[in-house]
Amino acid sequence: MAINKHMQAALKLLSYPAAADLEKVYKIERALYTLKSSPLSPLYHLWDQKIESIDGTPIRVRIYTPKQQTSSQLLLFFHGGGWVFESVDTYNQVCKALAKATGCRIASVEYRRAPEFPFPVGLEDCYAAAKAIYADPEQFGVQPEDITLIGDSAGGNLTAAVSLLARDRGDFTVSQQILIYPATAADHSESSPFPSVHENGEGYLLTSYRVQEFMRLYAGQDDSAFTNPYFAPLLMKDLSRQPRTLVITAEFDPLRDEGEAYAAALSHAGAQVYLHRMPDALHGFISLPARFVQVQRAHALIAKFLGVDTVCADNTNRTGTGWTTQLKFSRRRFTGRTPRSSD
């Protein structure tokens, strides 16, 4: 449904206040996020394993195997939360729903969070997990080309950065990545060149001010991070040899335009890129219950990109019966044009 004036007023009241200093209250807010951790359903086969990061720290990776596993593919998932909030536990429901919808196994990475562990610690944790899984894909019964990197928001940022690092370090090759409303730029202030930062920067839950706070905590004491392309992938001058990519943005998201700009930049550099702007959607919509239409549409887009059937909540397969046509999935490669909401 469209966002009417009454809903707009409610969203404005619920949006993060600029007066709150994130550095002072992040521990309280982080604790509140843990309250939404969902129980581990017996309908999913789950297990945790440990992978060592670059400094020897063990990194937890949780594996979700749906009861109806219809695909041998593996999705390596990096969760959102502004590099500060959220965790593998708080993303249980997101990963379970994604596993059920696609029939794929999900490997969710518990990277270390800012501000205790600023850039590039979280990125190196994600990279270490990816390197270990690509080095031994047989443990999941897959080949390296069957692995897709995926993340939302800060996790989308980490996904893009891991793909760039993999190219530059040469440890493994990423064949596919999925970026859900990713953070790709470094500037979300009044000087930002992206209209969505100004149009959607207030009154839509996530504010541009809060994005700046997240990035400040992620950068830590090193201001040079704001010019580092692994911190803000849109700064990367050379985007060649990047994987086949699906980018999903949200209409009323301050990060919308930078995600679409990254899609354009990848396409111009030669990558095969698909872009879909989710109509009437806010930042963070993938964390909503699976009954919400935006979540169902995102699952269908992801399934289409992966070449698998969508297994819906009622356990019926509907992707081959016109459902994706109703979703208006973009069947063309992105050309750099900013899409309309109806695309």
Side-chain angles (χ1 to χ4, degrees), residues 71 73-76 98 101-106 145-150 175-178 244 246 274 298-309 329:
S71 173
Q73 298 184 57
L74 177 72
L75 305 184
L76 182 55
L98 184 59
T102 62
C104 300
R105 278 169 296 180
I106 312 293
E145 59 269 21
D146 298 323
I147 302 170
T148 298
L149 303 187
I150 177 172
S175 59
Q176 295 190 143
Q177 65 177 352
I178 298 171
R244 179 173 178 261
L246 170 64
Y274 297 90
H299 286 166
L301 290 163
I302 291 168
K304 181 79 172 181
F305 178 77
L306 296 172
V308 301
D309 292 330
F329 180 78

Side-chain angles (χ1 to χ4, degrees), residues 109-143:
V109 179
E110 184 76 301
Y111 58 87
R112 285 172 287 180
R113 297 169 296 183
E116 295 92 339
F117 300 98
F119 174 82
V121 176
L123 173 58
E124 291 291 356
D125 289 349
C126 292
Y127 186 84
K131 182 179 177 181
I133 290 174
Y134 274 94
D136 187 19
E138 291 79 10
Q139 64 180 309
F140 301 103
V142 299
Q143 297 300 313

